[in-house]
Amino acid sequence: IKSDDLLLPVPMPLSRMRKSGVHHSAELCRWLAEGSGCSWDWQLLRRVGEQPRQSALSGSARRKNLRKAFALAGDYRARLADASTIWIVDDILTTGSTLHFAARATRPLQKEVKVLSLARTLNRG
């Protein structure tokens, strides 16, 4: 991660954030930004609607569940710094569906997009 990169946490539903009081992906972004000197924005990438929790779904159901779950804030062009690379940050990677669809929502930014996850679940086969 370079100082001219922009970190975007995978957004979580507001109802879940209010209930838990913690946005794990945003906290990861804040921590990474402090260490690398880059920027982060927890409101640029948004969750659209309420979807069932991913942990209770199969891989194919996860993909269907998240197909239209993410969008950019309406004022994203004005808020986008001169970032060379956009990083989508999530706390846990299971099937990759969340990071895939979150990254796909950033296409209008026309920037290189990379993903980063703190942990990956093991295949339970």
Side-chain angles (χ1 to χ4, degrees), residues 7-10 25 28-29 32 87-91 99 116-117:
L7 305 175
L8 301 177
V10 168
S25 297
L28 281 171
C29 285
L32 289 166
W87 288 85
I88 309 296
V89 180
D90 201 2
D91 56 347
L99 286 168
L116 179 68
S117 179

Side-chain angles (χ1 to χ4, degrees), residues 11 33-34 36 41 61 74 76 78-79 86 88 92 104-105 108 118-119 123:
E34 286 174 0
S36 67
D41 187 327
Y76 70 87
R79 295 169 55 188
I86 306 296
I88 309 296
I92 301 172
R104 194 166 88 171
L118 176 66
N123 183 354

Side-chain angles (χ1 to χ4, degrees), residues 56-98:
L57 302 175
S58 68
S60 61
R62 286 172 187 241
R63 286 184 289 282
K64 185 176 181 182
N65 186 41
L66 294 174
R67 189 159 286 137
K68 296 181 181 180
F70 304 105
L72 293 172
D75 60 346
Y76 70 87
R77 289 193 195 279
R79 295 169 55 188
L80 184 62
D82 294 326
S84 62
T85 303
I86 306 296
W87 288 85
I88 309 296
V89 180
D90 201 2
D91 56 347
I92 301 172
L93 173 75
T94 302
T95 65
S97 296
T98 301

